[in-house]
Amino acid sequence: MSALCPPPSPAVAKTEISMNGESPLLAATFAYWDNILGPRVRHIWAPKTDQVLLSDGEITFLANHTLNGEILRNAESGAIDVKFFVLAEKRVIIVSLIFDGNWNGDRSTYGLSIILPQSELAFYLPLHRVCVDRLTHIIRKGRIWMHKERQEHFQKIVLEGTERMEDQGQSIIPMLTGEVIPVMELLSSMKSHSVPEEIDISDTVLNDDDIGDSCHEGFLLNAISSHLQTCGCSVVVGSSAEKVNKIVRTLCLFLTPSERKCSRLCRSESSFKYESGLFVQGLLKDATGSFVLPFRQVMYAPYPTTHIDVDVNTVKQMPPCHEHIYNQRRYMRSELTAFWRANSDEEMSQDPIIHTDESFTPDLNVFQDILHRDTLVKAFLDQIFHLKPGLSLRSTFLAQFLLVLHRKALTLIKYIEDDTQKGKKPFKSLRSLKIDLDLTAEGDLNIIMALAEKIKPGLHSFIFGRPFYISVQERDMLMTF
Amino acid sequence: MISAPDVVAFTREEELGDELYREPPLPEEYSVPLFPFAGHGANPWAKVASSKFSRDFILISEFSEQVGPQPLLTIPDDAKVPGSFDLNYFSLRIMSVDYQASFVGHPPGCAYPKLNFVEDSKVVLGDSKEGAFAYVHHLTLYDLEARGFVRPFCMAYISADEHKIMQQFQELSAEFSKASECLKTGNRKAFASELEKKLKDLDYTRTVLHNETEIQKKANDKGYYTTQAIEKANELASVEKSIIEHQDLLKQIRSYPYRKLKESDFHPYEPECTLDQAGAGSEQDLAASDPAEPGEMHLYSRLPSYTPKLIKAKPAKCFDKKLKTLEELCDIYFFTQTLDQLHHIERTFRGDVCYLLTNQISRALLKQQNITNFLFEDVSFLDEKAPENRDRGCQGLSQDAADRKCSEESSTPKVVISLGSYKSSVECVPIKMEQDMDDPQEPAMTESITFEHQENLDYLDADLKGSISSGESIEVLGTEKSASGLMKSESQASLPISPSPQVGRSKVGSRRTVSEDSIEVLSTCPSESLIPEDFKASYPSAINEEPYVDDEEGGLRFNPRLNPDNTDEQEDVSNQENLAQIDSACCIGKESPNFLEPLPELGQKQCDEDGVVRIPPQPYRQAEQGLHSSFVGSPPCDSASGGLLPHELDSRYPTAGREVSRTSLDECSDSTSYISSAASTCSDRTPSPAHPVCLANERHKKKAGQNALRFIRQYPFAHPAIYSLLSGRTLVVLGEDEAIVKKLVTALSIFVPNCGAYAKPVKHWVTSPLHVVDFQKWKLIGLQRTVSPAGVNVLHALSRYSRYVSILDADSKTLRCPMYKGTLVARLADHRTQIKRGSTYYMHVQSVLTQLCSKAFLYTFCHHLHLPINERESEESVVNRRMNFLKLHLGLANEDIKIVQYLAELLKLQYIQEPGQGVNPLLRFDYVPSFLYKI
């Protein structure tokens, strides 16, 4: 690294974080590649605990290991690569996000890592994507920050003719802290309130003697249908934790075991924060009877979300995947552009206040009524309550229903794959697909497409993307007149 | 709903002004792509297509102490697979870091070199520029000549799909851990063997040096030591030190299992087929060795003859020596096993991850619906070990521990490893111990399953009981054995109901409906039904008759009735006990003469006592002979029945000793005896890293899908043909050309219920006249048409049964079968479908059939559907309720109702069958008018 780099010091800056519950995370680290000294750790975040499971020396050793070998890094411009280690000798797992950035005048390689005990592997894996997505985005922002700091730093040098060591490269740490702590809190909350892998159907609405016993028939139909149409991603809010959790468990019946482990029950004493990227989460309303969802985080969820209010029995859903991804990307780009254009630290630090770019005006009314009805869920609900509760009959029937959905989804993927020669040609026979695969009801198609999207990401954009983008461009064009 | 600060963000647009727009735009490297999936050339399949290698592969690399990281081999070993992908560079990338860094060699304060048994590390990394992502499994092997005695290796699964690696991480980790453990076990063996040889060499060298020193001593009369003598003495001391060091190393490598086994997550490699190779001798050896004193094992006792060499005082220079190859580092048996395992991994994980994921999900879901799987599912698919599921229930343990536990659950531990000269018997001891620990859980599980089954059974039993009160129905039996059942039932009418599931099986019994113009005969012939005692018990005594309710057809329908008496239960229990004995015993039990004797008597009684024609007339007793011969488990005399016995089962049939080789059934069934089949099953159990059955099934599915797609496009009468199969009416495909007939049979086979599970209701090619028992066994038959006199017989026999079977003439392209006016089959087989590939069509058929199963399941187990709600409710209203349910709740009409009813009937039989026994085809005749369809 250059002369601007602070001198090596055995003591690495550390932030200790007080957690309410058990923290499965041992530590988080931020390290960089020093051209002279090799990998070096700049900052450590660790939960404040009485028992030290991993000493700072060990954390540093591990963090250094994540950057070892990155001298051979061969990445696309701007790429943030994910490395995942299971080091049985050290009994830890490490998730590292490796990226290139400009800091203090030098282009170098950096690594943001989180370290967990190896025993948490099964707990962590379903949450991998959530953690990585969130850390990736904060890195995107941090990278801009670092770049801008470098410019400001040189401006200061030119203007003041002096160098202030304390200004150099420190401010990225608070920014990273702003996301590392929520990730720790998320993992902690999942440790205590994640939905179990196996759900007893008797804890759900599907165990009722008759449809409508626990909740209104239409509401249940809408909730499950919309839940499936939004890729199994739902937020359930209500004033009663018990009621909320019953619906959460019911919706989780329609998820895979690993998706369930990425879902969270409602805490009865006080509500959790909304967490972007969970499949189903139960949230408790406050004393005023409302729960405020953070727009930015809802937008950053990988899939559109269904909003279910168990108090007033309303079900609202976000637009389908291709629209959601498009809106998400435009929002992200505008947020990053706003960072790039920010002139002062105040502007940079005002996290939620972002500017839009010249062409993007997001529709804040993201949750809308369910537009398309389905026959699949309706028939399922009409039929399952004919089976005697308390036996395994309903579970078997549910398994059959899910199997039908998954098989239809795979058939749909294969159909499109055949028709487009694996994406080489555009897909033009949606009408035939609907008839051939018996998906003529729009809601049915949405459900199967949503399921297919999860196992074949990008399918929505491939099928529906082009006409949608054209219509958006036309709309934007008209708006300029 | 949306928080206020987020909204504020969009109110500031006006304030930005023109100044901001003059700033340089955000560099693309700091931004995110706007269209992650819809850019130029981007599509859901694009990532894989853009990589430099054609498909996923496995790379084994080594960090050589002489040349650094280098690729050793790829799996598959085909240069086309990696293509232009730079293996050297990638090896450098994945091997540049020692993730297992820990001290190996001469630690300070320790007199002798210390072996450090390092655990494997697993790393997922990628090269986004090259589009290559890898799961890398790092391991360390031992080499006496290597620096620090260690040679770092890694095995990498390389894919273009980043998400695939992470989504399949646990499965990949489990499978590679097995391969690694196998390689390391072989390496420890080879290392120990190398040490033993070295010790022999050293021992020999010491002897030589000692002798030379003695000679020098004797020859030395100068009274002082010469330089030469001192050198010799030093050399001797050095050799002795070396011997002690090597002995210590040997002790360490042999004590490895003891130390590792104390750790909860150690997973010793366990070859799947050790019994054949290890033999009793090694078992004795293993038993004889005392696990408590591993270090006391004699060092040289197991060594084959080895001629020791004299070791030179000065070893060769580091770069002069040639490093051992991977093959030399590992015992050959284990090396081969490792390669097999790696090939297996490559085969398992190749292809698009969406298929892998769906397979895993489907497998988990299918396991929850055991009761319906037999209808249309490929059970062999379920029998495969699924890594995902194996890991279930192993939570809380580390991955290796989970692997170990689950592997023990999934396969019986083989105590012996064929180790040749290596005394590592200790590795096997704890396996046994673990098994012992697991054993007590098994009864508990069985108990709970039985309880649940029983619980449901009670419920079902109630349904069954409810439908047996009418005295109006006429019972007609479809096979020869029913009369004895009638006799028994009368004499044992007051016997209490046994809750045993076996009892219920016979209660369904046989049934028949008669109407003015149609007679429907149903009877059950479970596989055990060929055993006389079972027949005695299984047929109800009452003759039940019911009006036919199908309004549209205007006829009378006789619904299946059940025996109101509890008569046969007691008898059944004893029968089932007998059956259980037979089933659990080997095929010899089947051949027991005890079960043969009553047969002729039964055949007689059937006609005598009933007074009703139960089966179409038979020219001579050939059928009975055939029955008899098939009963006793010997091949049938004629080829009319094609050699397929009623108890012919799928190779995955779960009952012990009854597995039949699948391949031998299909093509070579004419000469396949039960015993030979059983023998071939044993050979199927030899270790097979891949799933040949599965692969064959996949090919079969693809082929069947292609043929089926062609069939529905070419034949306008595909719907009634498929309807025949789905409703249990036997379909005979008649033709001269064997290939054409077989193709048609293959095409139609995907629509045959109960096809893939236990029974084999499809017979691709028969050349001799058919008999009534054949229609019980087979629901889809390919029949040869010949012009010879024998061929006349065939046609004559067929024409005799033509009222009861559907006939598809492949030569004249005609179909004679009942009319179909439903909608279900249209969804299944639309000739205008735009589906292009057979495999896609097969998947579509599978999903529609799953929906159908679901309907049948609901109808079978629907609450209060089959029982009168109160005592006054007539049977007619119950029947009406059922009909309404089928029409209103299941949305069925016309013939679709019959399909669901038939499937429900099979489900009911399956449910009350002994668990694991499977359902045998019904012998069912529909005397409904047939129509002739032509192209």
Side-chain angles (χ1 to χ4, degrees):
Chain A
M1 215 114 165
S2 73
L4 292 173
C5 181
S9 165
V12 179
K14 186 173 179 180
T15 305
E16 287 196 315
I17 300 148
S18 299
M19 305 291 298
N20 284 330
E22 180 195 354
S23 170
L25 203 72
L26 291 174
T29 62
F30 180 60
Y32 63 95
W33 182 272
D34 187 303
N35 285 341
I36 298 166
L37 300 167
R40 290 195 65 207
V41 177
R42 170 160 292 279
H43 201 88
I44 296 172
W45 296 266
K48 198 179 254 177
T49 51
D50 299 332
Q51 192 187 358
V52 178
L53 297 168
L54 219 53
S55 70
D56 287 359
E58 285 172 308
I59 292 170
T60 308
F61 172 82
L62 293 170
N64 286 343
H65 252 61
T66 62
L67 275 180
N68 267 337
E70 289 306 323
I71 199 163
L72 296 163
R73 182 172 158 78
N74 181 33
E76 284 179 325
S77 171
I80 299 169
D81 293 332
V82 183
K83 284 166 84 177
F84 183 69
F85 307 84
V86 179
L87 305 179
E89 277 293 306
K90 302 288 175 191
R91 300 265 162 217
V92 292
I93 53 178
I94 309 175
V95 187
S96 288
L97 287 90
I98 313 291
F99 60 98
D100 290 337
N102 287 311
W103 198 9
N104 294 337
D106 271 331
R107 188 170 182 84
S108 190
T109 302
Y110 301 85
L112 179 64
S113 308
I114 55 174
I115 306 170
L116 298 99
Q118 196 188 353
S119 55
E120 300 292 356
L121 181 63
F123 163 78
Y124 172 76
L125 279 175
L127 297 165
H128 178 72
R129 185 178 173 183
V130 179
C131 293
V132 164
D133 282 355
R134 291 176 61 155
L135 294 175
T136 301
H137 191 65
I138 198 68
I139 285 172
R140 284 195 192 111
K141 286 163 77 175
R143 208 161 40 178
I144 294 174
W145 199 304
M146 283 158 65
H147 184 97
K148 287 187 74 73
E149 246 196 12
R150 178 202 165 201
Q151 289 180 331
E152 284 165 19
H153 178 78
F154 280 115
Q155 282 168 5
K156 276 178 186 169
I157 291 172
V158 171
L159 291 173
E160 299 173 12
T162 54
E163 271 190 48
R164 292 188 307 170
M165 296 299 287
E166 64 271 23
D167 288 342
Q168 293 158 14
Q170 291 298 329
S171 53
I172 190 175
I173 302 302
M175 173 176 260
L176 294 178
T177 306
E179 193 64 33
V180 168
I181 294 174
V183 167
M184 279 187 179
E185 286 170 348
L186 165 68
L187 292 175
S188 175
S189 72
M190 291 303 290
K191 199 72 193 160
S192 58
H193 283 78
S194 73
V195 175
E197 196 176 5
E198 300 294 332
I199 296 174
D200 188 349
I201 201 168
S202 61
D203 297 332
T204 70
V205 175
L206 295 189
N207 197 50
D208 290 354
D209 283 339
D210 202 358
I211 188 167
D213 282 3
S214 293
C215 58
H216 188 263
E217 181 181 344
F219 167 67
L220 185 63
L221 170 64
N222 283 342
I224 295 174
S225 178
S226 179
H227 171 66
L228 289 170
Q229 288 181 38
T230 54
C231 306
C233 192
S234 296
V235 174
V236 186
V237 296
S239 304
S240 157
E242 195 184 346
K243 210 171 169 185
V244 167
N245 283 339
K246 195 166 186 178
I247 295 292
V248 168
R249 287 195 193 93
T250 305
L251 296 179
C252 281
L253 284 175
F254 298 87
L255 299 179
T256 64
S258 69
E259 287 169 348
R260 286 172 197 162
K261 289 203 280 187
C262 191
S263 302
R264 192 176 63 187
L265 293 165
C266 174
R267 184 168 59 183
S268 53
E269 51 270 29
S270 63
S271 184
F272 286 121
K273 282 192 303 180
Y274 169 85
E275 297 287 359
S276 179
L278 296 183
F279 278 95
V280 184
Q281 52 188 313
L283 299 166
L284 203 62
K285 287 182 179 175
D286 60 17
T288 63
S290 65
F291 186 92
V292 178
L293 285 173
F295 177 79
R296 177 176 160 270
Q297 289 186 37
V298 172
M299 287 297 287
Y300 283 1
Y303 301 116
T305 305
T306 291
H307 181 279
I308 299 165
D309 190 325
V310 295
D311 291 345
V312 287
N313 286 354
T314 56
V315 179
K316 304 266 182 184
Q317 66 178 194
M318 287 173 79
C321 283
H322 59 286
E323 279 190 57
H324 174 71
I325 296 292
Y326 179 79
N327 291 336
Q328 181 192 73
R329 290 302 175 126
R330 295 198 75 175
Y331 192 97
M332 273 185 186
R333 287 170 71 93
S334 65
E335 189 186 17
L336 294 173
T337 304
F339 261 84
W340 181 252
R341 288 175 176 168
N343 286 319
S344 63
D345 284 353
E346 291 78 48
E347 278 184 336
M348 302 277 283
S349 59
Q350 285 174 337
D351 183 46
I353 301 178
I354 60 163
H355 308 292
T356 63
D357 66 18
E358 53 273 23
S359 62
F360 179 52
T361 310
D363 183 3
L364 295 175
N365 191 21
V366 285
F367 288 105
Q368 295 162 354
D369 288 331
I370 302 167
L371 295 174
H372 305 296
R373 301 289 156 189
D374 74 286
T375 62
L376 291 167
V377 178
K378 187 168 188 336
F380 169 73
L381 287 178
D382 282 347
Q383 292 168 0
I384 194 169
F385 288 95
H386 286 290
L387 294 167
K388 193 178 167 77
L391 304 172
S392 61
L393 296 171
R394 289 189 181 182
S395 298
T396 306
F397 192 68
L398 173 69
Q400 282 170 342
F401 174 69
L402 294 175
L403 186 64
V404 169
L405 297 188
H406 279 101
R407 285 190 164 163
K408 277 185 179 287
L410 193 65
T411 312
L412 178 135
I413 292 171
K414 187 76 172 40
Y415 189 101
I416 297 168
E417 190 180 306
D418 296 345
D419 197 76
T420 63
Q421 294 174 9
K422 292 200 172 179
K424 289 189 186 83
K425 294 194 320 193
F427 183 67
K428 288 176 181 168
S429 46
L430 186 63
R431 192 170 164 275
S432 300
L433 179 144
K434 287 181 185 175
I435 295 166
D436 290 342
L437 305 187
D438 196 21
L439 296 172
T440 45
E442 208 63 31
D444 290 345
L445 180 70
N446 288 352
I447 287 172
I448 302 303
M449 277 296 293
L451 215 56
E453 177 76 30
K454 284 198 281 187
I455 53 174
K456 196 75 185 162
L459 203 66
H460 268 89
S461 300
F462 181 66
I463 303 296
F464 306 115
R466 200 174 297 269
F468 171 73
Y469 305 141
I470 290 169
S471 72
V472 168
Q473 280 169 0
E474 285 171 354
R475 189 194 65 190
D476 290 347
M477 187 70 81
L478 289 171
M479 297 272 280
T480 58
F481 290 112
Chain B
M1 198 179 286
I2 302 299
S3 60
D6 291 331
V7 181
V8 172
F10 306 104
T11 63
R12 303 188 59 188
E13 193 176 9
E14 299 78 20
E15 297 172 20
L16 296 175
D18 294 338
E19 192 184 332
L20 285 177
Y21 301 135
R22 284 199 296 271
E23 281 192 10
L26 176 69
E28 205 50 41
E29 66 169 306
Y30 290 153
S31 188
V32 289
L34 186 56
F35 304 109
F37 302 115
H40 291 292
N43 64 64
W45 297 270
K47 265 194 168 181
V48 182
S50 65
S51 64
K52 286 184 176 174
F53 42 92
S54 56
R55 64 172 209 236
D56 297 1
F57 65 98
I58 294 171
L59 169 70
I60 300 183
S61 293
E62 180 202 5
F63 194 104
S64 162
E65 62 187 59
Q66 291 177 343
V67 295
Q70 59 172 350
L72 294 181
L73 62 97
T74 61
I75 292 169
D77 190 13
D78 180 359
K80 283 180 195 162
V81 175
S84 59
F85 183 66
D86 189 345
L87 292 177
N88 279 306
Y89 172 77
F90 203 74
S91 295
L92 187 64
R93 174 136 173 80
I94 59 180
M95 288 300 282
S96 59
V97 184
D98 181 9
Y99 295 107
Q100 296 171 281
S102 50
F103 189 83
V104 180
H106 232 113
C110 180
Y112 308 118
K114 196 91 180 143
L115 284 180
N116 203 339
F117 297 102
V118 193
E119 290 193 47
D120 297 353
S121 296
K122 299 147 194 177
V123 180
V124 176
L125 48 76
D127 187 331
S128 52
K129 211 168 195 174
E130 295 285 315
F133 301 89
Y135 165 87
V136 190
H137 196 104
H138 292 269
L139 67 147
T140 306
L141 300 182
Y142 298 102
D143 182 356
L144 202 51
E145 288 162 15
R147 192 186 303 161
F149 306 124
V150 289
R151 301 271 300 271
F153 286 88
C154 80
M155 301 179 285
Y157 185 89
I158 301 171
S159 171
D161 188 350
E162 185 178 9
H163 295 296
K164 179 180 183 175
I165 302 285
M166 273 318 286
Q167 280 171 334
Q168 298 295 312
F169 180 83
Q170 277 189 302
E171 290 80 7
L172 281 168
S173 170
E175 295 299 312
F176 273 102
S177 294
K178 276 189 203 168
S180 166
E181 213 48 63
C182 180
L183 198 63
K184 287 193 293 185
T185 307
N187 171 249
R188 286 197 299 274
K189 188 189 167 195
F191 187 61
S193 166
E194 195 185 0
L195 276 169
E196 285 168 4
K197 284 178 186 171
K198 186 75 183 273
L199 277 169
K200 277 199 163 188
D201 291 346
L202 288 168
D203 197 37
Y204 174 70
T205 309
R206 181 176 61 179
T207 315
V208 171
L209 285 174
H210 190 73
N211 289 343
E212 285 177 4
T213 314
E214 287 301 313
I215 292 164
Q216 276 185 351
K217 264 187 192 173
K218 284 176 189 168
N220 182 17
D221 51 356
K222 295 172 186 170
Y224 60 90
Y225 291 110
T226 61
T227 316
Q228 209 177 12
I230 293 168
E231 269 181 15
K232 282 282 175 217
N234 283 343
E235 213 173 312
L236 188 62
S238 168
V239 166
E240 275 175 352
K241 183 173 178 261
S242 192
I243 287 174
I244 295 168
E245 282 179 358
H246 282 81
Q247 277 176 340
D248 190 66
L249 282 175
L250 189 62
K251 201 171 177 179
Q252 285 179 51
I253 197 83
R254 280 185 173 165
S255 64
Y256 167 79
Y258 297 97
R259 293 199 285 111
K260 296 304 283 184
L261 288 169
K262 285 175 194 162
E263 296 168 24
S264 61
D265 59 349
F266 173 63
H267 179 194
Y269 177 72
E270 197 182 325
E272 289 173 19
C273 65
T274 49
L275 282 178
D276 299 343
Q277 305 191 20
S282 52
E283 272 184 49
Q284 284 165 5
D285 290 340
L286 294 168
S289 63
D290 184 357
E293 297 176 341
E296 299 300 316
M297 286 187 293
H298 196 277
L299 296 182
Y300 313 116
S301 60
R302 299 287 299 268
L303 266 183
S305 60
Y306 171 71
T307 314
K309 295 189 292 276
L310 189 69
I311 296 175
K312 288 177 191 171
K314 303 248 168 116
K317 281 181 185 171
C318 181
F319 286 94
D320 292 342
K321 69 185 176 192
K322 184 180 164 289
L323 288 174
K324 288 193 187 75
T325 62
L326 185 59
E327 202 171 347
E328 288 165 347
L329 279 175
C330 185
D331 177 81
I332 188 68
Y333 168 76
F334 288 94
F335 182 72
T336 316
Q337 289 286 305
T338 307
L339 288 185
D340 284 349
Q341 170 67 6
L342 292 175
H343 278 287
H344 160 75
I345 293 171
E346 192 273 322
R347 274 193 290 264
T348 306
F349 292 97
R350 73 163 65 143
D352 197 331
V353 69
C354 71
Y355 297 104
L356 280 175
L357 285 173
T358 311
N359 266 352
Q360 286 163 358
I361 294 167
S362 299
R363 192 182 280 123
L365 290 171
L366 283 170
K367 284 190 174 166
Q368 293 175 45
Q369 38 190 300
N370 284 332
I371 188 165
T372 53
N373 284 344
F374 77 99
L375 281 175
F376 296 106
E377 300 300 334
D378 178 6
V379 184
S380 61
F381 167 74
L382 288 174
D383 289 343
E384 289 166 30
K385 284 186 265 178
E388 180 208 40
N389 293 323
R390 277 180 299 162
D391 290 345
R392 264 244 186 107
C394 300
Q395 307 283 326
L397 298 175
S398 70
Q399 184 57 44
D400 288 346
D403 296 340
R404 181 184 178 204
K405 186 175 177 216
C406 296
S407 67
E408 283 167 5
E409 282 170 2
S410 58
S411 64
T412 310
K414 314 292 188 298
V415 184
V416 186
I417 298 173
S418 177
L419 294 181
S421 62
Y422 180 46
K423 280 192 177 179
S424 65
S425 61
V426 284
E427 292 193 31
C428 308
V429 175
I431 304 172
K432 260 192 165 175
M433 288 165 65
E434 281 291 327
Q435 194 195 15
D436 290 341
M437 283 166 66
D438 287 343
D439 279 341
Q441 295 172 0
E442 288 178 15
M445 270 183 65
T446 317
E447 211 171 281
S448 66
I449 291 164
T450 315
F451 176 74
E452 189 179 80
H453 184 77
Q454 187 57 52
E455 199 175 25
N456 289 351
L457 185 77
D458 289 344
Y459 169 58
L460 188 73
D461 266 353
D463 284 357
L464 298 176
K465 282 173 213 158
S467 63
I468 53 178
S469 57
S470 169
E472 297 171 1
S473 302
I474 297 169
E475 176 66 30
V476 181
L477 304 177
T479 63
E480 305 87 326
K481 314 288 191 302
S482 54
S484 58
L486 301 180
M487 287 172 63
K488 286 280 176 186
S489 63
E490 282 175 11
S491 63
Q492 296 178 5
S494 61
L495 288 174
I497 297 174
S498 161
S500 160
Q502 290 92 325
V503 175
R505 184 180 56 143
S506 61
K507 286 173 72 178
V508 177
S510 55
R511 61 211 53 181
R512 172 200 180 188
T513 54
V514 178
S515 68
E516 287 171 1
D517 61 350
S518 73
I519 301 171
E520 188 175 286
V521 183
L522 282 171
S523 81
T524 55
C525 263
S527 60
E528 300 78 11
S529 67
L530 294 167
I531 297 160
E533 281 82 351
D534 197 41
F535 270 107
K536 281 179 194 170
S538 59
Y539 293 96
S541 60
I543 297 174
N544 302 322
E545 187 174 331
E546 268 187 6
Y548 188 47
V549 209
D550 194 334
D551 297 330
E552 288 181 24
E553 292 190 11
L556 290 171
R557 179 180 174 86
F558 290 81
N559 268 355
R561 310 296 304 171
L562 294 167
N563 189 349
D565 301 326
N566 303 326
T567 52
D568 300 337
E569 268 89 1
Q570 194 71 21
E571 182 71 12
D572 257 359
V573 171
S574 62
N575 288 339
Q576 293 305 327
E577 283 170 2
N578 287 338
L579 289 174
Q581 284 170 5
I582 298 158
D583 289 343
S584 60
C586 68
C587 52
I588 297 166
K590 276 274 176 194
E591 294 176 335
S592 166
N594 294 341
F595 299 97
L596 305 181
E597 288 169 7
L599 188 66
E601 187 187 25
L602 285 168
Q604 291 286 338
K605 279 183 179 176
Q606 175 241 338
C607 289
D608 294 346
E609 297 191 12
D610 208 347
V612 183
V613 179
R614 298 168 193 105
I615 53 169
Q618 294 178 34
Y620 34 76
R621 292 179 61 84
Q622 190 183 354
E624 284 183 26
Q625 284 165 8
L627 191 67
H628 181 88
S629 59
S630 63
F631 181 130
V632 296
S634 59
C637 306
D638 61 356
S639 57
S641 49
L644 273 179
L645 311 176
H647 55 259
E648 270 179 344
L649 301 166
D650 186 89
S651 62
R652 298 285 173 177
Y653 191 91
T655 308
R658 297 190 68 177
E659 294 182 13
V660 178
S661 163
R662 180 187 290 264
T663 48
S664 66
L665 283 176
D666 282 337
E667 299 298 334
C668 319
S669 52
D670 285 2
S671 58
T672 307
S673 74
Y674 190 83
I675 293 169
S676 64
S677 300
S680 67
T681 309
C682 294
S683 64
D684 280 349
R685 284 179 179 166
T686 51
S688 175
H691 302 296
V693 174
C694 179
L695 291 174
N697 283 352
E698 285 304 313
R699 275 196 296 272
H700 169 75
K701 282 174 189 174
K702 198 177 169 185
K703 198 176 160 190
Q706 280 167 353
N707 290 342
L709 199 54
R710 211 170 292 137
F711 173 74
I712 62 164
R713 281 181 177 148
Q714 284 178 356
Y715 291 80
F717 46 73
H719 289 187
I722 294 169
Y723 162 67
S724 285
L725 294 170
L726 287 174
S727 58
R729 187 180 170 101
T730 300
L731 177 68
V732 178
V733 181
L734 185 66
E736 278 182 36
D737 187 341
E738 183 178 352
I740 291 172
V741 170
K742 277 188 171 177
K743 263 189 183 174
L744 280 170
V745 171
T746 306
L748 289 161
S749 64
I750 60 174
F751 303 103
V752 182
N754 196 18
C755 180
Y758 305 112
K760 301 279 282 184
V762 180
K763 182 66 187 166
H764 283 77
W765 187 241
V766 174
T767 54
S768 312
L770 294 170
H771 301 288
V772 71
V773 271
D774 298 330
F775 302 134
Q776 184 204 6
K777 287 180 291 188
W778 302 321
K779 292 295 168 192
L780 176 62
I781 305 167
L783 183 65
Q784 186 187 30
R785 169 191 274 126
T786 51
V787 287
S788 65
V792 173
N793 277 344
V794 169
L795 293 178
H796 178 70
L798 188 62
S799 65
R800 207 157 9 128
Y801 305 123
S802 60
R803 293 178 67 194
Y804 323 122
V805 294
S806 300
I807 301 167
L808 173 63
D809 193 325
D811 300 328
S812 62
K813 295 206 170 12
T814 60
L815 172 73
R816 182 182 289 279
C817 73
M819 189 183 273
Y820 173 73
K821 290 178 288 182
T823 56
L824 267 178
V825 178
R827 252 179 277 162
L828 200 60
D830 183 357
H831 69 277
R832 292 163 302 183
T833 183
Q834 297 295 308
I835 292 175
K836 291 183 167 56
R837 290 175 184 271
S839 49
T840 313
Y841 180 66
Y842 184 89
M843 287 157 78
H844 170 62
V845 169
Q846 237 189 349
S847 66
V848 176
L849 291 178
T850 311
Q851 273 180 302
L852 197 55
C853 280
S854 180
K855 285 181 196 293
F857 176 83
L858 183 71
Y859 176 67
T860 313
F861 294 100
C862 184
H863 195 36
H864 292 317
L865 185 64
H866 306 280
L867 287 170
I869 292 170
N870 53 52
E871 288 175 1
R872 282 171 297 176
E873 189 178 28
S874 67
E875 188 62 27
E876 192 180 351
S877 68
V878 175
V879 170
N880 282 336
R881 193 165 63 239
R882 278 187 214 145
M883 273 300 155
N884 281 337
F885 183 83
L886 287 165
K887 285 176 182 171
L888 300 176
H889 289 284
L890 297 184
L892 302 170
N894 305 327
E895 282 73 23
D896 292 341
I897 289 173
K898 281 190 178 178
I899 295 176
V900 172
Q901 280 177 328
Y902 172 66
L903 297 180
E905 197 60 38
L906 292 176
L907 275 177
K908 211 182 280 182
L909 281 172
Q910 162 78 6
Y911 194 75
I912 55 182
Q913 281 277 350
E914 198 177 331
Q917 285 294 315
V919 167
N920 286 275
L922 294 172
L923 181 58
R924 173 181 174 137
F925 296 123
D926 285 325
Y927 290 82
V928 287
S930 288
F931 292 83
L932 183 67
Y933 295 88
K934 291 180 183 173
I935 286 187

